Amino acid sequence: MPPSRKLGPVHLKVAVIAASVAALLGQSLVAARAAAPEGQAAAAVRGGNPKVLLAARDPKPVPQLWMWHMGMLRGEYEVDGVATLEIQKSTGTIRVGGQPCALTNYRASINYQVSGMRAQYTCTRPDGQMHRGIEVVSGEFAWDEDIPGAELVPGKGKATPNPSARNERLIRLWSGPQGAPKAAAAGGANTKVTTAGGKTVLTYPIPGVPGATATATLNAGAGDGPCAKNCAERIEVRHGSVLTEFIYSDYEDYNEPLNKIKAFFPGHIVERRDGATILDLRIVETETGNLYVIMPVPASVRKASAPQQ
């Protein structure tokens, strides 16, 4: 290991100038991206690199524009860089046994690459009784757990198959704030874009749930706040005779203070099914840094649950 050396006055001055320039450049990139119209942002912040301009072509397809405003497009070529999500320490109410149950904590771990979600929560019923739930979906399977990862270690916990909940849990995953634009992009030619009342409306199929169709209305507000426009304010999903509604507002970067990355998420989420409120959630903290999130299917669940359609 070479001996350490102290910086002389000249070296120190150069280091300070370099750090100042880097800081100013970083601020300029953020400001330019926020101020520039969609499609012009790449040219504004990168000086017209032709490869980058090709990747950030003007205009972007609407699902990409949706992701752009949410801060999901990352890297030189502005590709979707969100693979997983953690929602942590959130509060509100969840419907249990036909009644609202006051949440003391709600956590959701989501993997978009394998269509998996684990929601863990504790809540207090109107009669004062505590209720705890762990609800999981992974691909073709849905189940409930008494501890996270039940039965993955033999003798640890109990996993109870719940195939009838598969579709509603996948709908929740792919109608979520980040899952919805991914689903719209995956729809390809089956995703239709119209306008209504000056707002952009997308209609697209829900992945993995045949016959389920989502209609997303993007906001068209003025101003420069997070997700002031082209982010979902409402998503309706019809599956057979069931209508599920998702309402989103109060977009911000809810990552912890030392991990802000300008990836925006709604601070208030309301889910209704056929008019009844299923979930009313106030987001306290998120982690959009692509954590290691998996939902392995227990062998007993695979054995007991035939794939549901």
Side-chain angles (χ1 to χ4, degrees), residues 193-216:
V193 180
T194 58
T195 58
K199 298 179 180 180
T200 301
V201 178
L202 298 88
T203 303
Y204 51 90
I206 294 291
V209 187
T213 301
T215 301

Side-chain angles (χ1 to χ4, degrees), residues 6-13:
K6 292 184 179 180
L7 291 176
V10 174
H11 295 94
L12 182 60
K13 185 175 182 180

